[in-house]
Amino acid sequence: MAKVAFIGLGVMGFPMAGYLVKKGGHEVTVYNRTAAKARQWVEKFGGRAAPTPKAAAEGQDFVMCCVGNDNDLRAVTIGPDGAFSGMKKAATFVDHTTASAEVARELYAEANKGGFKFVDAPVSGGQAGAENGVLTVMCGGDEAAYAGAEPVIAAYARMCKRLGPAGAGQLTKMVNQICIAGLVQGLSEGIHFAKKSGLDVQAVIDTISKGAAQSWQMENRYKTMNEGKFDFGFAVEWMRKDLSICIAEARRNGATLPVTALVDQFYAEVEKLGGKRWDTSSLLARLEK
């Protein structure tokens, strides 16, 4: 058992912090910007709520974090009453936010100055993965920091791997989102084409999913896509945030991402249809408007 804090109790963080208690058996302190959410978590799982990120981090062995973006992350780490000012020597800060590789390296450097460890550890698996404790976690940071954090992360992960130094976790998450963007667009076009051709979509997918076209997106999303249901899963506005990070990083490293940039614009069209909070499979909606 370790003393662990969790900062950020959104749709991902709330269940992830819960698994630290019910599966990991850890002593958990939580912080959330909206205090009522923290109180709700404590009522459900026990532990305690702290009034600031600094207070949450004080005395902890590990501090996990899952917030919205680079600015949110800086606010809860190096901002006023940020967690970094409360971290004890040799403790480990694990960031599950999907953010830039740049901010990961920045916070890694700040952690080294403060005498504690930092691991960037974005996750994949969406809300369902968090609720079922089966997230994929992509990590960057020093080997020793990762080795210490991995058993704690295991409470809500089915796959966890160190990919390299600070920032490597965030870069790997970018690869993940780049791949998903193209897959969802291809599946959307396939379903759209099948409908226009008068085919039975279920029969088509039952057949082609046994061959080279098979994907997680096909297996898990085609039915709701075919029914025009887009009210669950990873939201379009979150995906656009992630794709903007990918595109900005590509400008820095010289990668060419034509399909990713195009799909990002397709998601912008979905937003104009009122689909900001629809899930990412709603790319089909713009083809059928």
Side-chain angles (χ1 to χ4, degrees):
M1 186 184 81
K3 292 184 70 178
V4 185
F6 204 105
I7 296 170
L9 301 174
V11 295
M12 302 293 287
F14 194 99
M16 289 166 73
Y19 274 102
L20 288 170
V21 176
K22 64 185 184 182
K23 185 178 175 185
H26 303 296
E27 181 185 325
V28 180
T29 299
V30 295
Y31 166 79
N32 194 65
R33 187 166 49 187
T34 306
K37 197 72 175 286
R39 289 194 296 270
Q40 181 188 346
W41 187 91
V42 170
E43 286 172 11
K44 184 170 183 179
F45 296 107
R48 68 181 185 92
T52 65
K54 178 183 178 181
E58 287 172 344
Q60 308 294 342
D61 303 311
F62 297 90
V63 179
M64 329 304 273
C65 178
C66 190
V67 293
N69 55 38
D70 285 22
N71 291 335
D72 296 331
L73 181 56
R74 287 189 178 99
V76 300
T77 53
I78 57 177
D81 285 321
F84 278 19
S85 60
M87 299 285 291
K88 69 179 184 182
K89 299 291 183 183
T92 304
F93 190 97
V94 178
D95 177 39
H96 292 305
T97 308
T98 295
S100 68
E102 181 181 19
V103 76
R105 296 182 192 113
E106 174 189 329
L107 296 180
Y108 169 81
E110 289 295 320
N112 277 348
K113 285 181 198 172
F116 56 93
K117 303 168 190 142
F118 179 88
V119 177
D120 55 293
V123 302
S124 179
Q127 185 174 346
E131 290 173 350
N132 293 314
V134 291
L135 292 167
T136 295
V137 187
M138 300 151 262
C139 299
D142 296 338
E143 289 184 18
Y146 171 76
E150 186 182 28
V152 180
I153 296 170
Y156 40 76
R158 69 174 169 189
M159 173 64 185
C160 184
K161 188 174 178 67
R162 177 184 176 269
L163 284 309
Q170 296 295 353
L171 292 169
T172 303
K173 178 62 184 286
M174 293 176 211
V175 175
N176 187 78
Q177 302 305 74
I178 289 164
C179 292
I180 288 173
L183 282 169
V184 177
Q185 178 61 22
L187 180 58
S188 298
E189 291 183 16
I191 292 172
H192 176 64
F193 182 89
K195 286 182 173 181
K196 288 290 187 181
S197 301
L199 294 169
D200 179 328
V201 173
Q202 181 170 336
V204 169
I205 299 296
D206 284 347
T207 303
I208 69 171
S209 64
K210 305 304 184 290
Q214 189 275 339
S215 69
W216 185 96
Q217 297 292 336
M218 180 177 287
E219 294 284 350
N220 291 275
R221 291 289 182 264
Y222 95 87
K223 284 185 180 177
T224 48
M225 290 171 73
N226 191 39
E227 293 165 359
K229 295 177 181 176
F230 309 115
D231 56 350
F232 66 97
F234 192 65
V236 166
E237 64 176 337
W238 301 339
M239 185 61 156
R240 290 210 70 205
K241 182 213 83 172
D242 290 2
L243 294 182
S244 72
I245 293 171
C246 298
I247 292 165
E249 184 64 33
R251 292 192 191 103
R252 283 190 284 270
N253 69 19
T256 304
L257 304 179
V259 173
T260 304
L262 187 59
V263 173
D264 179 54
Q265 290 308 300
F266 292 161
Y267 277 125
E269 291 181 33
V270 173
E271 287 185 325
K272 287 176 184 174
L273 294 173
K276 219 175 232 198
R277 298 310 299 270
W278 294 350
D279 70 75
T280 50
S281 68
S282 57
L283 281 173
L284 179 60
R286 64 171 287 279
L287 300 174
E288 300 189 336
K289 62 183 179 181

